[in-house]
Amino acid sequence: MARILSVDPVSRIEGHLKIETEIDSGVVTRARVAGNMYRGFERMLLGRHPVDSARIAQRICGVCHEVHGVSSVMALEEIYKVTPPANGLVLRDMILGLHIVTDHLLHFYNLCLPDYADFSVAAAYSGSDTRLKDISAWIRNSGTGFIGGAAEGDYIRDKDAVYRLVLHYFEALKIRSEAASGLALLGGKVPFIHALLPGGITTEITADTLMKYYHVLEKTADFVNNSFLPDALEIARRYPQYFKIGETYNTFYAHSSFKDSKGTNLFNAGVIINGERKNFDYSKVKELLSASFYDNSGRPDENRQGAYSWIKAPRYEGFPLEVGPVARFAVNNDAGFKSLLGRFGSTNITSSTMSRILARAYESVRLCNYLFERSEDFRLDEPTIRPVDLQAPVTGQGVGFSVAARGALVHHITAEKGKVTDYKMIVPSTWNFGPAADGKAGVVEKAITGTPVRFGGEGGSVEVGRVVRSFDPCTACSVH
Amino acid sequence: MLSRRDFLKKCRDISVAAFGADIFGAEIAEGFMKIAASDRPLVSFIQGQSCTGCSISLTYGNETNFIDFIMKLIRLQVHPNLSFSQGESYLKMLDSVSAKGGHVLVVEGSIPVKMKKACMLGEHTLYDELKKHMEKASAIIACGSCSCFGGIPASGMNETGAVSVEKYMSMTGIKKPVIKIPGCPIQPDRFMGTVAYLIATGKLPAMKDGIPTLYFGELIHNNCTRFQYFSQDIYLDDYNKDKHSCLLKKGCRGTVTKADCPTRRWNGSVNVCVESNAPCIGCVNEKWPFTSDIYIEAKNVEDVPWSDFKKYSEKRGRK
């Protein structure tokens, strides 16, 4: 007989998320994914000056703030009919790229890793590494609750591996903080970059700013190449079954992003449905509301019949699509990522828990390489921003197609006489975490279905947690 | 990782950075020593209508280092973004800390009181659950502008009826001092420094309206590194050319916002909004995100609605 097992709240993610599963004979047979928080960004921006969205829209999420800033600024630039100078675009890429790498680091080490490694093993450390000695003493004596109470599971328990991973858990926080200083040099501060305006970046960039950025980038790239990618590969080697768990519809979608000075994109845009690659057509995107807490006009309604999530259900020609690094590589049919998956017996880029984890590590390597080259496109003494009247009573529409760590991102602004009349965001986690609609389960709901559940208990299933976290849930974003 | 000796030195540095005076610093370093030995407070985080930006800002750190903070200063019990437990066992952990009491409860984000299901904590609404976590806490910290004043979720038409922590407490009858550390997001030193002060002295810091005066006592404008341009009437017109000028005519709210951003700075002290040639948007201001346009451009300083310097200088003079 089927039993219900919930993970509510899902921790180590951004936001408020509930996962409810039905389990029959040790396998998830049905899943419901619910976003459990709402603020109403699209509606609170109504009536404000469109430029305000460059500041307010970043506050959708404190984890992936820059990406919303860039997306809304891109939409504003369409309304203002302004293109940033070359330097403005270089700086924007330098911010966005480094940000995405730090986002992937947070995801792998601080959010996902505790699902795979048993940190308590490090308590037994008796060697001479002072950092590990400190960590070991801390785990033994500190009474620190947040690292306790992990769900039952088949964790990595061999000492050497755990020692290394635990060290990297803390190292990742340190690298992220250093990378943040690189982002702040260009943008003023993080989270929430205020130097980002329609038309470019306001900051004065001097030779020493670039050198400091470069220094931070080198440190980050070093960690990505020597720790992140090897650690992700090790997790993949130890949990090969997760290449078969967490598969979605294998329908993907990505935007183009990260152009170089020759005009070549690091990622191209496209949609894959039924194994066929098509060009992306924005007019084919619809957000369905039948299982979401909104009435038919889009107003919030917490008591809506049949609704179970604050997330809407986006569909492309009726299909739910997966977004994120795997989608970017699938759409680009990326040879490097294919060969990486090939090491684990895959011939194609398909969606799975482990392919998502590997894709983030591999993408971080690619982005660091890209950033080294891209930062050389910056020309000292040339403009970084074009003047824009930030209070002009502008009228028009703009769409910003940008990229976030978690996938393709759209900000769509309609303005009349200097007031926002419509603001629409279609956010990566909306695609992945949207509920069922028209008889089709949402992307993550589909991914969880079929997951074998060997462990349970009051912590819920570690297996389901692994599948869910592999998408890097950003629930504040998905609901907004 | 720091050795114990390095750590104490670091504590002293933090104290000096955070509290300004050496003598004060020494006192706190002593407090730190006691704490490092054993008595570190239990800390739980609860997120309401938040974006996690304050927690992320904390992990970035500035002068203060987040790893030192969680390893040497406090005993972090529950944090939605970091806790290894999930679901039921996560909630049990939170419940058990709150039942024992004596903990520091940090609330990030606002609380919806009209549309209560707009924020859940497990199966229950945050509105119904939060009270029990507050009742036995020894200190409650409203972390960031949303929990201090309602912030962004409470702006516009505020469909969900988002309120601040203080408002929630008065609605549910909880009487307890709240330390408010505004900011969108909070600046890490201001949070970790305040907690360090609490631990070291066992006292609440000096506050005005529940906001530590140490960090939020002075107008940004008065300590702005660009104040000299203001006093010489050199104002920014073109963002691209006038990199060394005052941003007031671009709508800078440094003149109505009290915080130590110009001196404390951000992200390893490398930069701060105004230094990056971007006007202060007043993210620690009670009124953030304001109902007026964020960037009110003016030909003359007097046309900026908040350029009433005289009022401020008189107020200061009378004190």
Short mmCIF file of all heavy atoms in Angstrom, two decimals, chain A residues 94-124:
data_model
loop_
_atom_site.label_atom_id
_atom_site.label_comp_id
_atom_site.label_asym_id
_atom_site.label_seq_id
_atom_site.Cartn_x
_atom_site.Cartn_y
_atom_site.Cartn_z
N MET A 94 31.44 40.07 -16.61
CA MET A 94 32.39 39.74 -15.53
C MET A 94 31.68 39.57 -14.20
O MET A 94 32.05 38.74 -13.38
CB MET A 94 33.47 40.84 -15.41
CG MET A 94 34.51 40.80 -16.53
SD MET A 94 35.47 42.33 -16.67
CE MET A 94 36.47 42.29 -15.19
N ILE A 95 30.62 40.36 -14.01
CA ILE A 95 29.84 40.24 -12.78
C ILE A 95 29.00 38.96 -12.82
O ILE A 95 29.04 38.14 -11.91
CB ILE A 95 28.93 41.48 -12.59
CG1 ILE A 95 29.78 42.72 -12.27
CG2 ILE A 95 27.90 41.24 -11.50
CD1 ILE A 95 29.00 44.03 -12.27
N LEU A 96 28.27 38.81 -13.91
CA LEU A 96 27.34 37.69 -14.02
C LEU A 96 28.09 36.35 -13.97
O LEU A 96 27.68 35.42 -13.27
CB LEU A 96 26.58 37.82 -15.36
CG LEU A 96 25.26 37.09 -15.51
CD1 LEU A 96 24.32 37.43 -14.38
CD2 LEU A 96 24.62 37.46 -16.86
N GLY A 97 29.19 36.26 -14.70
CA GLY A 97 29.94 35.00 -14.78
C GLY A 97 30.51 34.60 -13.44
O GLY A 97 30.33 33.46 -12.98
N LEU A 98 31.18 35.55 -12.77
CA LEU A 98 31.80 35.22 -11.48
C LEU A 98 30.71 34.90 -10.45
O LEU A 98 30.85 34.00 -9.63
CB LEU A 98 32.68 36.38 -11.00
CG LEU A 98 33.48 36.14 -9.72
CD1 LEU A 98 34.40 34.93 -9.85
CD2 LEU A 98 34.31 37.37 -9.34
N HIS A 99 29.61 35.65 -10.55
CA HIS A 99 28.51 35.37 -9.65
C HIS A 99 28.01 33.93 -9.82
O HIS A 99 27.77 33.22 -8.84
CB HIS A 99 27.35 36.34 -9.87
CG HIS A 99 26.06 35.79 -9.39
ND1 HIS A 99 25.77 35.68 -8.04
CD2 HIS A 99 25.03 35.20 -10.05
CE1 HIS A 99 24.61 35.08 -7.91
NE2 HIS A 99 24.15 34.78 -9.10
N ILE A 100 27.83 33.50 -11.06
CA ILE A 100 27.28 32.15 -11.30
C ILE A 100 28.21 31.09 -10.73
O ILE A 100 27.78 30.10 -10.13
CB ILE A 100 26.97 31.93 -12.80
CG1 ILE A 100 25.77 32.80 -13.17
CG2 ILE A 100 26.69 30.46 -13.11
CD1 ILE A 100 25.35 32.73 -14.63
N VAL A 101 29.53 31.31 -10.88
CA VAL A 101 30.48 30.35 -10.32
C VAL A 101 30.31 30.27 -8.79
O VAL A 101 30.25 29.17 -8.22
CB VAL A 101 31.94 30.72 -10.68
CG1 VAL A 101 32.91 29.79 -9.97
CG2 VAL A 101 32.14 30.65 -12.19
N THR A 102 30.20 31.42 -8.14
CA THR A 102 30.06 31.39 -6.68
C THR A 102 28.74 30.73 -6.27
O THR A 102 28.66 30.05 -5.25
CB THR A 102 30.09 32.81 -6.05
OG1 THR A 102 28.97 33.55 -6.52
CG2 THR A 102 31.36 33.53 -6.37
N ASP A 103 27.74 30.92 -7.10
CA ASP A 103 26.44 30.31 -6.84
C ASP A 103 26.56 28.78 -6.92
O ASP A 103 26.03 28.05 -6.08
CB ASP A 103 25.46 30.82 -7.91
CG ASP A 103 24.05 30.93 -7.39
OD1 ASP A 103 23.72 30.23 -6.43
OD2 ASP A 103 23.26 31.70 -7.97
N HIS A 104 27.29 28.29 -7.91
CA HIS A 104 27.50 26.84 -8.05
C HIS A 104 28.29 26.29 -6.86
O HIS A 104 28.04 25.18 -6.40
CB HIS A 104 28.27 26.53 -9.34
CG HIS A 104 27.43 26.69 -10.60
ND1 HIS A 104 26.06 26.67 -10.59
CD2 HIS A 104 27.79 26.84 -11.90
CE1 HIS A 104 25.60 26.82 -11.83
NE2 HIS A 104 26.64 26.93 -12.64
N LEU A 105 29.25 27.07 -6.37
CA LEU A 105 30.05 26.63 -5.22
C LEU A 105 29.16 26.46 -3.99
O LEU A 105 29.24 25.46 -3.27
CB LEU A 105 31.16 27.62 -4.91
CG LEU A 105 32.34 27.65 -5.88
CD1 LEU A 105 33.30 28.78 -5.51
CD2 LEU A 105 33.08 26.32 -5.86
N LEU A 106 28.31 27.46 -3.75
CA LEU A 106 27.39 27.39 -2.61
C LEU A 106 26.51 26.15 -2.75
O LEU A 106 26.31 25.40 -1.80
CB LEU A 106 26.51 28.64 -2.56
CG LEU A 106 25.44 28.65 -1.47
CD1 LEU A 106 26.07 28.98 -0.13
CD2 LEU A 106 24.33 29.66 -1.76
N HIS A 107 26.02 25.95 -3.96
CA HIS A 107 25.11 24.84 -4.19
C HIS A 107 25.79 23.52 -3.88
O HIS A 107 25.28 22.69 -3.12
CB HIS A 107 24.63 24.85 -5.64
CG HIS A 107 23.84 23.63 -5.97
ND1 HIS A 107 24.36 22.59 -6.71
CD2 HIS A 107 22.59 23.25 -5.62
CE1 HIS A 107 23.44 21.64 -6.80
NE2 HIS A 107 22.37 22.01 -6.16
N PHE A 108 26.95 23.30 -4.45
CA PHE A 108 27.59 21.99 -4.30
C PHE A 108 28.03 21.73 -2.86
O PHE A 108 27.70 20.71 -2.27
CB PHE A 108 28.77 21.84 -5.26
CG PHE A 108 29.44 20.50 -5.14
CD1 PHE A 108 28.86 19.36 -5.69
CD2 PHE A 108 30.64 20.35 -4.45
CE1 PHE A 108 29.45 18.11 -5.57
CE2 PHE A 108 31.24 19.10 -4.32
CZ PHE A 108 30.64 17.98 -4.88
N TYR A 109 28.79 22.66 -2.31
CA TYR A 109 29.40 22.39 -1.01
C TYR A 109 28.45 22.58 0.16
O TYR A 109 28.34 21.73 1.03
CB TYR A 109 30.66 23.24 -0.82
CG TYR A 109 31.80 22.72 -1.66
CD1 TYR A 109 32.16 23.35 -2.84
CD2 TYR A 109 32.48 21.57 -1.29
CE1 TYR A 109 33.19 22.84 -3.63
CE2 TYR A 109 33.51 21.06 -2.07
CZ TYR A 109 33.86 21.70 -3.24
OH TYR A 109 34.85 21.19 -4.01
N ASN A 110 27.77 23.71 0.19
CA ASN A 110 27.04 24.04 1.40
C ASN A 110 25.60 23.54 1.38
O ASN A 110 25.03 23.30 2.43
CB ASN A 110 27.11 25.55 1.65
CG ASN A 110 28.55 26.05 1.63
OD1 ASN A 110 28.96 26.74 0.70
ND2 ASN A 110 29.33 25.64 2.60
N LEU A 111 25.04 23.38 0.19
CA LEU A 111 23.66 22.93 0.14
C LEU A 111 23.55 21.43 -0.15
O LEU A 111 22.76 20.72 0.46
CB LEU A 111 22.87 23.75 -0.89
CG LEU A 111 23.00 25.28 -0.76
CD1 LEU A 111 22.10 26.00 -1.74
CD2 LEU A 111 22.71 25.78 0.66
N CYS A 112 24.33 20.92 -1.10
CA CYS A 112 24.21 19.51 -1.51
C CYS A 112 25.08 18.54 -0.72
O CYS A 112 24.65 17.45 -0.38
CB CYS A 112 24.61 19.36 -2.98
SG CYS A 112 23.26 19.65 -4.08
N LEU A 113 26.32 18.91 -0.49
CA LEU A 113 27.30 17.97 0.05
C LEU A 113 26.83 17.23 1.31
O LEU A 113 27.07 16.02 1.44
CB LEU A 113 28.64 18.69 0.30
CG LEU A 113 29.81 17.79 0.67
CD1 LEU A 113 30.14 16.81 -0.44
CD2 LEU A 113 31.04 18.64 1.00
N PRO A 114 26.14 17.92 2.25
CA PRO A 114 25.69 17.19 3.44
C PRO A 114 24.73 16.04 3.13
O PRO A 114 24.48 15.21 3.99
CB PRO A 114 24.99 18.29 4.27
CG PRO A 114 25.65 19.56 3.85
CD PRO A 114 25.92 19.39 2.39
N ASP A 115 24.22 15.95 1.91
CA ASP A 115 23.40 14.81 1.50
C ASP A 115 24.27 13.59 1.16
O ASP A 115 23.75 12.50 0.98
CB ASP A 115 22.59 15.15 0.24
CG ASP A 115 21.33 15.92 0.55
OD1 ASP A 115 20.88 15.87 1.70
OD2 ASP A 115 20.79 16.57 -0.37
N TYR A 116 25.57 13.81 0.99
CA TYR A 116 26.43 12.71 0.51
C TYR A 116 27.51 12.32 1.52
O TYR A 116 27.91 11.17 1.57
CB TYR A 116 27.08 13.10 -0.83
CG TYR A 116 26.06 13.33 -1.92
CD1 TYR A 116 25.56 14.61 -2.18
CD2 TYR A 116 25.57 12.26 -2.66
CE1 TYR A 116 24.59 14.81 -3.17
CE2 TYR A 116 24.61 12.45 -3.65
CZ TYR A 116 24.12 13.73 -3.90
OH TYR A 116 23.18 13.92 -4.86
N ALA A 117 28.01 13.30 2.27
CA ALA A 117 29.11 12.99 3.19
C ALA A 117 28.64 13.06 4.64
O ALA A 117 27.87 13.95 5.00
CB ALA A 117 30.25 13.98 2.97
N ASP A 118 29.09 12.13 5.44
CA ASP A 118 28.77 12.13 6.86
C ASP A 118 29.83 12.95 7.61
O ASP A 118 30.92 12.46 7.88
CB ASP A 118 28.73 10.69 7.37
CG ASP A 118 28.38 10.61 8.85
OD1 ASP A 118 28.28 11.68 9.49
OD2 ASP A 118 28.20 9.50 9.35
N PHE A 119 29.49 14.18 7.91
CA PHE A 119 30.46 15.10 8.51
C PHE A 119 30.92 14.63 9.89
O PHE A 119 32.00 15.00 10.34
CB PHE A 119 29.86 16.51 8.63
CG PHE A 119 29.95 17.33 7.37
CD1 PHE A 119 29.65 16.78 6.13
CD2 PHE A 119 30.33 18.68 7.42
CE1 PHE A 119 29.72 17.54 4.97
CE2 PHE A 119 30.40 19.45 6.26
CZ PHE A 119 30.09 18.87 5.03
N SER A 120 30.10 13.83 10.57
CA SER A 120 30.46 13.44 11.94
C SER A 120 31.72 12.58 11.95
O SER A 120 32.41 12.49 12.97
CB SER A 120 29.29 12.72 12.62
OG SER A 120 29.11 11.45 12.01
N VAL A 121 32.04 11.97 10.81
CA VAL A 121 33.26 11.16 10.72
C VAL A 121 34.49 12.03 11.03
O VAL A 121 35.47 11.56 11.62
CB VAL A 121 33.38 10.53 9.31
CG1 VAL A 121 34.74 9.91 9.09
CG2 VAL A 121 32.27 9.50 9.10
N ALA A 122 34.41 13.30 10.66
CA ALA A 122 35.55 14.19 10.87
C ALA A 122 35.84 14.43 12.35
O ALA A 122 36.92 14.91 12.71
CB ALA A 122 35.32 15.52 10.16
N ALA A 123 34.88 14.10 13.21
CA ALA A 123 35.09 14.27 14.65
C ALA A 123 36.24 13.40 15.15
O ALA A 123 36.88 13.70 16.15
CB ALA A 123 33.81 13.95 15.41
N ALA A 124 36.50 12.30 14.44
CA ALA A 124 37.53 11.35 14.90
C ALA A 124 38.93 11.71 14.42
O ALA A 124 39.89 10.99 14.69
CB ALA A 124 37.16 9.95 14.40
#
